[in-house]
Amino acid sequence: MSATGIGASVKRTEDIRFITGKGHYTDDINRHGQAYAYFLRSPHAHATINKIDASAALKAPGVVAIFTGDDIAADKVGGLICGWMIHSKDGSPMKAGAHPALAQGKVRYVGDHVAVVIADTYAQAREAGEKIVVDYGVLPAATDTATTAKPGAPQVHDVAPNNTVYNWHIGDKAATDAAFAAAAHVTKLDLINNRLIPNAMEPRAAVGEYDSGTDALTLYTTSQNPHVARLVLSAFIGIAPEHKLRVIAPDVGGGFGSKIFIYAEETVCVWAAKKIDRPVKWTADRTEAFLSDAHGRDHVTHAELALDVGGKITGLRVHTIANLGAYLSTFSSSVPTYLYGLLLSGQYNIPAIYCEVDAVYTNTAPVDAYRGAGRPEATFVVERIVEIAARQLGRDPGEFRRANFVTSFPHQTPVILAYDAGNYGGALDKALALADYKGIGARKAASAAKGKLRGIGFSAYIEACGLAPSAAVGSLGAGVGLWESAEVRVNPIGTVEVLTGSHSHGQGHETTFAQLVSQRLGIPFENVSIVHGDTDKVQMGMGTYGSRSGAVGMSAVSKALDKIEAKAKKVAGHVLEASEQDIEFKDGKFTVKGTDKAIDFASVALQAYIAHKFNGQELEPGLKETAFWDPTNFTFPAGVHICELEIDPETGVTTIDRWTAVDDFGALINPMIVEGQVHGGVAQGIGQAMLEGAVYNGDGQLLTASFMDYCMPRADDLPSFRVETIETRCPSNPLGIKGCGEAGAIAAPPAVINAITDAVGHEDVAMPATAQVIWRAAQKAILKRAAE
Amino acid sequence: MYAFTYHQPNDVAAAVALLDEDAKLLAGGQTLLPTMKQRLASPASIVDLGKIGELSGISREGETIVIGAMTRHADVAANAAVHQAIPALAALAGGIGDPHVRNRGTIGGSLANNDPAADYPAAVLALGATIVTNKRELAAEAFFHGLFETALGEGEIIVKVRFPIPQKAAYQKFRNPASRFALVGVFVTQTKGGARVAVTGAGASGVFRVNALEAALGASFAAAALKDATVPAEGLNTDMHADAAYRAHLIVVLARRAVAAAG
Ligand SMILES: Cc1cc2nc3c(=O)[nH]c(=O)nc-3n(C[C@H](O)[C@H](O)[C@H](O)COP(=O)(O)OP(=O)(O)OC[C@H]3O[C@@H](n4cnc5c(N)ncnc54)[C@H](O)[C@@H]3O)c2cc1C
């Protein structure tokens, strides 16, 4: 391994600019003559718009234009789309209500977009916005996930009776029913997967610009996938044909899924820029981020696990109500279905699974993919119910899991996925040793002696990453393929630019992708630069989400590098006057087999461009290759996390004492970056388990609309993590990579709740398990013990 | 934020002269400026107290600690005289918000604002402090009037606060995990006059004293004296962060811990 090649913990190149304040974010972009947009948002969760009177606002200082939904519709610009078609069990397509960029006739959640005011300054736009008089007919709101589909609930969209988007199912119902009929033991569980608000550090922002000279538009936007944004804005919303629309996602300060989607604001900014022939800029404030970024999770679930006399799992039955909010966001329909139901086998050999999901509308912000997206929800179901089953059967939770682990590969689950490689027992062994599981009894006794309760919780998670084989997702309803692209441009002096369709918004692509190139071409790491985030520079690509950049994005780079190597060998053959077959490439040098004739990579690059040593008709000059990589399977990162914590039963205050993570991410490009990804993911998972939760009241007002009420995890809420890995290479991509970006957020919540319930001795602990929740649970346990 | 006129007077009299019903005093700005940014407040003029030297500073005058209204939380937290005389007060100031907030926020601003979850009101009430304004002196009991309401009238500015030095004192704060304000905060003191227990964060109408706990501690200033004590949940806050019953329970636990910490 070289100091900068694959497997080296190279410090992140991009951090120099981020740490010294030289990052260049969308809000840093200012275009000549730019005007500012202010979005007038609905204060009501559900109301008809009877009239919008903007006459006073139009006269306010600095106002350039005010647009409403009618203006957009008059321009024949379409609404926002959901790009994944789900069919209900009865075969009917999902019932998607219209999603205009600016409301037409009705608002459906607090924060919904009523009008846009464009003015010379942001302050003027906002001030004018307050002068718009909207006559609302306020309607009762449907806000509760569990009851929104019940008869009599307020209706969010006329096209979706009973607020039901779809009733989806997966698995074999008859086989599952049979497993339960024959079961020796059945474990049941009701749970809520709490709604989360993503809160990327950088709020969303957009600058739309129109060039009347070329009739072309440019959109600078906080996107995880600028090409997908361009495709949607062009082909579906109808802003402009793709060759007349450039989308640039410069430095992006975190996304966690929330910047995958194509939102109203960027659509309106780019559309309005042409309307007024001036650049239009918008940057969300934090309140707008809380109200209008797509939220995550929000499930109500009942699950049942069937077991035989020996404690082998024989069946799993799950019913989930998934709240998708007021409109279907870009990929929302796929999250509680194919990213959820398919993961319900966990790391276990479960012969029969049947899962039903009712996706519902409510008068709340749209819900879509958020770090983990469906997989944390599935893992929470599986790892909670498996834990409870082990406890009910009096089995050690680690050994009970081990007895049910999948041990031979490939393994076909009953819910589509075929696991290709893994070593679940190996991860468990290592985690048990690192966590000193043998010593837990003594540590519990020591805590008890201090009047404290200590608990330990396991989470043996699996996720499907490397999204995804295009034909497979197409057959499941995806509107796009999920391949990735790369172009490798070798310059005449041998430096390299890689243009990737992946997008970095914190992940460190500029470092890890360069490590791959440095290793493969044997050139200095500093000689490689990574270009991403601009549709005019980079060929069509699918972007970054679902832990796909390594497994899919780097595989595309690897494939392009194969082509570069093949072409360079041809050039080297001519230069060294040897047959191409006799050329060997190693450590940056081309040699002729069995001779000492050699030429380095940079010299070959130069020869490829000056093209003096070969016939330009037989061999094209230049050294630049493009590749599209379409994966053949998902990848299956998996691992075991163990949480150990101590509770003060007098207050419920809980301190996580140890966190042990043993993850199998396949091959690691940069172990330091991987560890950072696990830290961030676990922090978010602990946040979900103990601190975070979006709360709407019955009127549909978001009560947690600021950091004063919505609790993001902070450093002092978290323990020092023990993060280790094991490695089984992924067989379906050339680099053996599985992906690591979401694992922590997927693994952590059940580990925490299993530890808390272990400590308090019963299962009734909801997320977020705040001190009050834990105190109540501890009190109940103490009363129960006293009564026994 | 809406446009406003900015004034920066050099003494209290000049500040008072600038006050009318559309004017607001600006101290550390930690509450006022966010409120203005959210357009919940729109004063026509701002009277910045930052240049009035007589409003800042900490001194010991016999058996009292005197803190100027414009004294920052960080300065109270770091002050040697406060550490020596009322360490609980220094600790309280050092536990407010974060370093940014402590370096801007002031005791006068905190008391004038009377946020029901703020820390200083508990100290002022439990220590029996006197609030000195440009017009009069107010006992703590007379100063706090429910949520965000005080006895301060038109044209009245807090100048300083006088804290009698107690025999013993301690503050226990149970933080709201999101805002880090007090979900419940309990300040206990022992003085020649007896024990006091003041509670912030929990009361539906702001900071208050708990007579039953004070009586028990008056008899014996020891944690054991509160062993079986309870506080009724009536009159306490229920919100999305905690309900009244949990707050009532925490008051007793924190009072016990505070007494133990007071030594
Ligand atoms: C993120 C954050 C966290 C915080 N955490 C805590 C916490 O944990 N505990 C806590 O107690 N507080 C907390 N605070 C509040 C903060 O510490 C300040 O005490 C509070 O904001 C008011 O003080 P200020 O000096 O900033 O006053 P300002 O915001 O300037 O003024 C507040 C009000 O008081 C009036 N006023 C100011 N000075 C005077 C005066 N001398 N006479 C009369 N009226 C006056 C002003 O006109 C205004 O109405 C927090 C604030 C923030 C922003």
Side-chain angles (χ1 to χ4, degrees):
Chain A
M1 182 178 83
S2 80
T4 58
I6 291 173
S9 286
V10 179
K11 286 201 179 141
R12 297 181 7 141
T13 324
E14 46 272 79
D15 285 348
I16 305 276
R17 74 173 186 279
F18 294 151
I19 292 170
T20 58
K22 298 285 168 61
H24 205 61
Y25 298 88
T26 300
D27 190 52
D28 295 322
I29 288 161
N30 293 298
R31 306 299 296 170
H32 182 69
Q34 143 188 311
Y36 294 80
Y38 167 74
F39 286 88
L40 182 68
R41 294 174 186 276
S42 172
H44 306 293
H46 199 194
T48 54
I49 300 176
N50 300 329
K51 187 166 186 264
I52 299 175
D53 179 0
S55 50
L58 275 165
K59 290 189 207 116
V63 171
V64 179
I66 296 176
F67 298 116
T68 65
D70 290 345
D71 298 309
I72 299 188
D75 251 16
K76 305 255 178 312
V77 168
L80 307 179
I81 63 150
C82 178
W84 198 303
M85 173 50 75
I86 300 294
H87 286 86
S88 284
K89 321 178 220 209
D90 65 7
S92 63
M94 68 184 184
K95 303 192 171 57
H99 189 181
L102 296 175
Q104 285 173 13
K106 206 177 178 199
V107 286
R108 293 184 172 84
Y109 67 102
V110 171
D112 204 353
H113 316 71
V114 176
V116 64
V117 184
I118 301 166
D120 292 336
T121 70
Y122 179 70
Q124 288 171 332
R126 191 166 170 179
E127 218 129 298
E130 288 170 9
K131 295 195 163 72
I132 298 177
V133 183
V134 186
D135 175 13
Y136 291 107
V138 179
L139 301 167
T143 60
D144 178 41
T145 308
T147 57
T148 183
K150 296 246 159 77
Q155 292 296 288
V156 182
H157 290 276
D158 294 342
V159 298
N162 293 322
N163 292 327
T164 298
V165 186
Y166 52 73
N167 303 110
W168 177 85
H169 69 163
I170 192 146
D172 186 335
K173 183 171 190 310
T176 307
D177 287 345
F180 277 86
H185 181 86
V186 173
T187 296
K188 298 184 180 181
L189 173 66
D190 286 292
L191 63 86
I192 290 174
N193 204 286
N194 43 327
R195 177 188 274 244
L196 303 177
I197 301 178
N199 281 313
M201 203 182 288
E202 180 206 21
R204 290 190 294 115
V207 182
E209 185 172 15
Y210 177 63
D211 181 341
S212 57
T214 57
D215 191 28
L217 287 154
T218 301
L219 171 66
Y220 303 86
T221 183
T222 48
S223 174
Q224 301 179 210
N225 37 218
H227 288 92
V228 176
R230 184 176 70 160
L231 177 67
V232 170
L233 287 165
S234 173
F236 297 94
I237 301 180
I239 292 288
E242 277 175 292
H243 69 299
K244 293 289 186 188
L245 176 60
R246 175 182 187 183
V247 177
I248 301 174
D251 283 333
V252 174
F256 310 109
S258 70
K259 292 172 182 166
I260 299 171
F261 322 123
I262 291 79
Y263 290 89
E265 291 89 352
E266 58 254 31
T267 305
V268 170
C269 282
V270 70
W271 167 77
K274 181 170 178 183
K275 271 312 253 191
I276 65 167
D277 198 5
R278 271 176 77 174
V280 176
K281 179 171 186 171
W282 168 79
T283 303
D285 65 22
R286 188 54 66 180
T287 306
E288 290 183 289
F290 271 100
L291 290 175
S292 69
D293 288 2
H295 294 178
R297 323 275 194 256
D298 203 341
H299 285 192
V300 174
T301 293
H302 175 77
E304 300 183 355
L305 192 71
L307 299 125
D308 71 12
V309 275
K312 282 264 185 213
I313 301 169
T314 55
L316 174 65
R317 190 146 62 192
V318 176
H319 178 257
T320 291
I321 305 173
N323 186 350
L324 298 183
Y327 300 98
L328 298 187
S329 172
T330 315
F331 288 111
S332 59
S333 56
S334 66
V335 177
T337 48
Y338 291 108
L339 294 175
Y340 171 70
L342 274 57
L343 276 298
L344 287 171
S345 198
Q347 297 188 0
Y348 309 105
N349 204 333
I350 307 182
I353 297 177
Y354 182 63
C355 169
E356 293 171 286
V357 177
D358 302 334
V360 294
Y361 278 125
T362 55
N363 293 112
T364 63
V367 177
D368 205 325
Y370 170 62
R371 200 171 193 170
R375 292 152 290 172
E377 296 90 313
T379 301
F380 195 67
V381 172
V382 173
E383 286 306 288
R384 284 292 290 131
I385 202 163
V386 163
E387 181 78 29
I388 296 169
R391 290 175 189 171
Q392 288 175 346
L393 297 176
R395 300 271 300 270
D396 175 85
E399 293 319 305
F400 177 76
R401 283 176 169 83
R402 190 193 303 279
N404 283 289
F405 275 161
V406 169
T407 51
S408 71
F409 298 88
H411 172 80
Q412 178 62 53
T413 71
V415 277
I416 299 183
L417 296 179
Y419 301 164
D420 51 7
N423 177 8
Y424 308 147
L428 179 62
D429 288 338
K430 192 165 174 181
L432 290 173
L434 288 169
D436 183 25
Y437 186 58
K438 287 204 190 78
I440 183 62
R443 293 195 296 278
K444 280 188 175 179
S447 293
K450 295 185 294 178
K452 301 282 173 68
L453 301 169
R454 182 172 286 265
I456 192 162
F458 291 74
S459 174
Y461 73 94
I462 190 164
E463 52 173 330
C465 291
L467 307 176
S470 299
V473 295
S475 74
L476 304 179
V480 289
L482 289 172
W483 44 264
E484 194 49 89
S485 70
E487 181 175 306
V488 175
R489 288 184 188 165
V490 181
N491 297 316
I493 59 166
T495 60
V496 173
E497 279 141 33
V498 176
L499 288 74
T500 170
S502 299
H503 183 275
S504 185
H505 30 281
Q507 292 85 350
H509 295 2
E510 290 166 40
T511 307
T512 50
F513 282 46
Q515 286 181 254
L516 167 64
V517 177
S518 159
Q519 162 117 4
R520 283 287 305 274
L521 300 182
I523 59 174
F525 174 78
E526 300 72 33
N527 287 4
V528 185
S529 69
I530 307 300
V531 180
H532 63 93
D534 182 342
T535 60
D536 263 16
K537 290 185 185 163
V538 181
Q539 67 293 336
M540 177 72 189
M542 295 310 295
T544 288
Y545 38 83
S547 307
R548 69 193 300 275
S549 299
V552 190
M554 289 179 90
S555 292
V557 177
S558 175
K559 196 173 162 191
L561 288 168
D562 291 343
K563 296 184 186 178
I564 290 284
E565 186 179 324
K567 170 88 180 277
K569 276 183 175 164
K570 289 197 168 95
V571 176
H574 285 284
V575 177
L576 298 175
E577 294 170 334
S579 134
E580 181 192 335
Q581 280 74 36
D582 292 337
I583 302 289
E584 285 178 338
F585 183 54
K586 201 168 167 266
D587 298 331
K589 269 204 166 58
F590 296 87
T591 51
V592 181
K593 221 182 284 177
T595 74
D596 58 1
K597 287 209 274 185
I599 180 171
D600 66 11
F601 180 77
S603 306
V604 171
L606 186 63
Q607 290 295 337
Y609 284 97
I610 60 178
H612 294 166
K613 296 273 167 81
F614 53 88
N615 179 337
Q617 268 65 49
E618 285 164 17
L619 181 63
E620 280 180 37
L623 195 52
K624 186 196 91 160
E625 298 288 349
T626 302
F628 286 70
W629 169 263
D630 196 4
T632 55
N633 194 356
F634 294 86
T635 67
F636 299 98
V640 172
H641 286 217
I642 300 178
C643 170
E644 188 173 325
L645 47 74
E646 192 178 67
I647 295 169
D648 172 3
E650 214 175 25
T651 58
V653 169
T654 299
T655 311
I656 296 176
D657 186 37
R658 297 173 182 218
W659 194 280
T660 310
V662 176
D663 298 295
D664 181 355
F665 298 135
L668 308 184
I669 305 295
N670 182 320
M672 179 193 71
I673 288 180
V674 168
E675 189 174 345
Q677 289 286 326
V678 176
H679 283 204
V682 172
Q684 273 169 299
I686 291 173
Q688 168 160 32
M690 303 183 75
L691 304 166
E692 297 182 52
V695 181
Y696 281 94
N697 70 9
D699 295 334
Q701 295 294 333
L702 181 62
L703 301 182
T704 51
S706 85
F707 290 128
M708 297 303 262
D709 292 311
Y710 187 90
C711 187
M712 292 296 283
R714 285 173 241 192
D716 65 349
D717 294 316
L718 303 168
S720 187
F721 305 118
R722 182 84 193 257
V723 177
E724 302 264 347
T725 54
I726 62 165
E727 181 180 321
T728 59
R729 289 178 70 84
C730 173
S732 71
N733 67 59
L735 301 168
I737 294 176
K738 296 184 180 179
C740 66
E742 296 157 294
I746 292 169
V752 173
I753 300 300
N754 286 338
I756 294 169
T757 53
D758 178 47
V760 301
H762 75 97
E763 304 298 341
D764 187 17
V765 173
M767 296 193 292
T770 60
Q772 173 174 269
V773 168
I774 295 170
W775 173 71
R776 284 249 142 75
Q779 295 307 306
K780 261 197 230 167
I782 289 165
L783 289 178
K784 201 171 124 202
R785 227 171 291 149
E788 273 161 12
Chain B
M1 207 180 272
Y2 297 99
F4 56 87
T5 315
Y6 175 78
H7 303 286
Q8 200 178 46
N10 290 318
D11 57 43
V12 172
V16 171
L18 289 162
L19 285 179
D20 59 37
E21 61 189 36
D22 292 328
K24 269 270 179 204
L25 295 170
L26 175 69
Q30 296 304 291
T31 296
L32 184 58
L33 296 183
T35 326
M36 289 168 66
K37 281 191 190 164
Q38 287 169 13
R39 309 180 147 237
L40 299 171
S42 51
S45 67
I46 286 289
V47 180
D48 185 348
L49 301 177
K51 280 275 143 66
I52 306 179
E54 63 187 288
L55 291 180
S56 283
I58 300 170
S59 61
R60 178 168 179 156
E61 295 175 7
E63 284 309 294
T64 54
I65 290 285
V66 183
I67 302 179
M70 281 301 290
T71 311
R72 316 279 172 186
H73 308 328
D75 294 330
V76 175
N79 184 272
V82 180
H83 266 276
Q84 197 256 322
I86 322 179
L89 189 60
L92 173 146
I96 294 176
D98 51 46
H100 301 71
V101 170
R102 291 196 288 277
N103 279 304
R104 296 300 308 163
T106 66
I107 187 168
S110 177
L111 295 175
N113 193 47
N114 192 19
D115 187 309
D119 297 302
Y120 269 130
V124 166
L125 194 56
L127 289 162
T130 302
I131 289 147
V132 181
T133 76
N134 58 323
K135 295 189 172 162
R136 53 185 167 154
E137 302 202 349
L138 286 152
E141 267 84 359
F143 181 79
F144 300 110
H145 284 192
L147 306 180
F148 300 101
E149 296 286 340
T150 68
L152 290 174
E154 286 276 308
E156 192 164 17
I157 297 179
I158 301 176
V159 174
K160 60 190 171 189
V161 187
R162 277 206 296 266
F163 290 96
I165 296 169
Q167 292 164 338
K168 290 178 178 176
Y171 181 58
Q172 288 281 314
K173 176 177 183 177
F174 191 99
R175 285 179 171 75
N176 172 324
S179 71
R180 307 259 168 130
F181 272 81
L183 192 79
V184 178
V186 179
F187 204 110
V188 301
T189 58
Q190 188 186 27
T191 63
K192 283 197 212 87
R196 281 200 185 198
V197 178
V199 175
T200 188
S205 45
V207 64
F208 66 99
R209 287 169 62 181
V210 191
N211 297 333
L213 301 187
E214 290 184 357
L217 292 173
S220 153
F221 194 81
L226 303 180
K227 192 167 153 283
D228 298 317
T230 56
V231 166
E234 285 86 62
L236 300 184
N237 263 340
T238 288
D239 57 30
M240 71 180 137
H241 301 292
D243 60 26
Y246 181 54
R247 283 190 161 98
H249 169 77
L250 284 181
I251 288 171
V252 179
V253 172
L254 297 178
R256 227 186 284 134
R257 290 181 182 184
V259 171

